[in-house]
Amino acid sequence: MTSPAPSPVKRRRPEWAGRNYTLLTSAAVITGVGSSSALIATSFAVLQQGGDGGDIGLVAAARTLPLVVFILIGGAVADRMPRHRVMVAANALNCVSQAAFAVLVLTGTAELWQMMVLTALCGTGQAFFNPAAEGMLMSSVTPEQAGRAFSFFRMSSQGAGIGGAALGGVMASAVNPGWVLALDAAGFAVAGGLRAFLDVSHIPAREPGGGLLSDMREGWQEFIGRPWLWSIVAQFSVVVAVVGAAESVYGPLVARDEFGGSGPWGTALAAFGVGTLGGALLMSRWKPRRLLLAGTLGVFPLALPSAALAVPLPVAGLCAVMFVSGVAIEVFGVSWMTTMHQEIPEDKLSRVSAYDWFGSVAMLPLATAVAGPVEGLVGRGTALWGCAALVLVMTALVLLVPDVRNMTRREHTVPVTAGGPGSEGSSSRPLAADALPAASSPDAEGALGRLG
């Protein structure tokens, strides 16, 4: 009697969720929870140590300044070395710096300069991580699988941010903020361990270039040759700065003075996360033909949170506008990164992304550092209304650039050069009409829609 044929093993994961993709998504979820929690805990750790709004701004600036200083080097390094090794090394640095920060806060011995140094180390790690991570997820799926895979990745990351923001607000109120920082350090350790197991054997070895400075010059030529790229980055240098000041400095102060503590502010940030989740769902179905026009229109609602804090609206109203701005920034984020994926050659993606990051966060350290003094000079309400106005003005100005209004989605393989779509003498790569990029990270909500 013959035994029955064994039944096929039921596949538990979708076809597009391969080993690398699963590791990357799991790591992003873990760090998303920890980083969103730590973003809130850091502000309240400063206040717990007797600091004020100016001190919060200095600590926030200390995190973003190394990001500005080292991001271009990080992009060049990520295009020369295996990207997963750069990501693991950055995670290790973040783990150590956050663990030391947690110990100081838990023991009540943290001084302002120590908090600034440790957050600066965390920002340095982020400067090397972000450009490396930009291309790593894209290599984990095929163009045919990209739409669903990247949509799920973004939704998973945003969901982690929602939980992390809520957890950070509750824990910062209920227990010492140092415990939240310790949780973040542990998350970096676990995520780095997962990323160490990434398989990069399928990625062709990169040809050695003419040196680090030569690589950076090539990235600059790719960047400056595209008006749509540098104009939007110039726009976001202001938008990220004022939104970062509003959310990193003024938001916690309004929560303390008007809402009674960190819990409501954590809830508002969680509402922003819910909005980004809704935006990811929307963009998995809606594929606007004019990518950058749709994305830029999605930047206008980013003025709403600053205006809501200026009034200030009740907690329910603040959560509503944070939700709307979350949906809107995801419309921009998907449209922007889809355009980057469509227009930038893969072998230069980390370097171009580094210039994108550099321009977008260049003014953030200054904005967060002067937020406290500006509040003392003109008042918190006036400062917040100014933030809202700058978002509106800069977004209106960038719509004057023809390429921003006219950039369209393509569904076929095209040559790509710094001269623009279809130029001669360029390298080419297959494009997927539904290819969505990776998700975003902290630092003014990940420079408003980039990787994390």
Side-chain angles (χ1 to χ4, degrees):
M1 180 177 179
T2 58
S3 59
S7 58
V9 178
K10 184 177 180 180
R11 186 180 180 88
R12 295 183 179 181
R13 297 181 303 195
E15 182 181 356
W16 40 264
R19 179 173 178 272
N20 275 7
Y21 177 88
T22 302
L23 288 171
L24 288 165
T25 304
S26 301
V29 168
I30 292 168
T31 55
V33 171
S35 296
S36 296
S37 300
L39 198 63
I40 299 173
T42 298
S43 297
F44 285 92
V46 175
L47 295 175
Q48 178 180 281
Q49 298 301 120
D52 55 17
D55 295 330
I56 293 175
L58 288 174
V59 172
R63 175 186 172 90
T64 52
L65 183 59
L67 188 63
V68 174
V69 172
F70 294 112
I71 192 73
L72 298 181
I73 299 174
V77 169
D79 274 340
R80 295 174 68 88
M81 295 179 60
R83 288 171 180 158
H84 73 303
R85 293 183 182 176
V86 178
M87 295 166 70
V88 171
N91 286 165
L93 178 59
N94 290 150
C95 173
V96 172
S97 61
Q98 288 294 75
F101 197 172
V103 170
L104 291 175
V105 174
L106 288 171
T107 57
T109 59
E111 298 182 12
L112 180 62
W113 72 267
Q114 294 171 324
M115 292 187 282
M116 292 176 65
V117 168
L118 291 171
T119 53
L121 289 175
C122 197
T124 300
Q126 202 71 21
F128 285 86
F129 177 88
N130 290 339
E134 189 81 30
M136 194 66 209
L137 183 69
M138 292 183 184
S139 70
S140 70
V141 295
T142 65
E144 295 77 17
Q145 300 166 341
R148 291 183 179 179
F150 291 151
S151 294
F152 182 80
F153 183 92
R154 293 184 72 95
M155 286 185 281
S156 299
S157 300
Q158 304 297 5
I162 296 168
L167 179 66
V170 171
M171 288 186 68
S173 296
V175 299
N176 192 306
W179 291 113
V180 184
L181 298 171
L183 176 68
D184 189 32
F188 278 119
V190 174
L194 292 175
R195 288 166 175 144
F197 288 100
L198 290 169
D199 179 10
V200 296
S201 60
H202 64 288
I203 301 176
R206 294 177 177 84
E207 294 293 332
L212 200 64
L213 291 178
S214 176
D215 286 352
M216 293 171 65
R217 282 195 297 270
E218 284 187 19
W220 171 253
Q221 291 169 355
E222 291 285 339
F223 174 81
I224 201 64
R226 295 175 165 84
W228 61 268
L229 178 55
W230 58 257
S231 62
I232 289 183
V233 170
Q235 169 206 9
F236 265 73
S237 69
V238 176
V239 172
V240 170
V242 298
V243 171
E247 296 192 357
S248 297
V249 180
Y250 299 138
L253 293 175
V254 172
R256 182 193 65 184
D257 297 341
E258 303 292 339
F259 305 142
S262 62
W265 182 236
T267 303
L269 292 179
F272 178 89
V274 174
T276 61
L277 184 61
L281 286 169
L282 170 65
M283 295 304 289
S284 69
R285 291 167 172 79
W286 179 45
K287 298 178 176 60
R289 182 170 177 270
R290 294 193 179 186
L291 285 165
L292 293 181
L293 177 61
T296 301
L297 292 176
V299 180
F300 281 107
L302 296 184
L304 293 175
S306 295
L309 289 169
V311 174
L313 291 182
V315 175
L318 177 62
C319 290
V321 300
M322 291 291 280
F323 173 84
V324 171
S325 65
V327 174
I329 195 53
E330 195 67 11
V331 172
F332 170 80
V334 172
S335 300
W336 174 252
M337 294 301 295
T338 302
T339 304
M340 291 279 284
H341 183 249
Q342 173 177 290
E343 299 295 325
I344 308 300
E346 194 277 338
D347 64 324
K348 297 182 178 65
L349 185 57
S350 289
R351 280 168 284 174
V352 174
S353 297
Y355 281 101
D356 174 16
W357 270 96
F358 176 81
S360 297
V361 303
M363 295 178 62
L364 184 57
L366 176 63
T368 52
V370 304
V374 168
E375 178 190 12
L377 184 64
V378 303
R380 188 184 302 164
T382 301
L384 283 164
W385 283 118
C387 291
L390 284 170
V391 172
L392 297 177
V393 170
M394 293 302 297
T395 305
L397 287 175
V398 84
L399 287 174
L400 299 177
V401 179
D403 286 350
V404 173
R405 300 193 306 270
N406 300 325
M407 177 73 69
T408 58
R409 182 189 302 269
R410 296 194 300 273
E411 302 184 13
H412 52 83
T413 301
V414 295
V416 180
T417 67
S423 301
E424 295 180 359
S426 61
S427 61
S428 63
R429 58 193 173 97
L431 305 176
D434 60 346
L436 301 182
S440 50
S441 76
D443 291 313
E445 300 300 334
L448 301 176
R450 290 160 174 82
L451 277 171

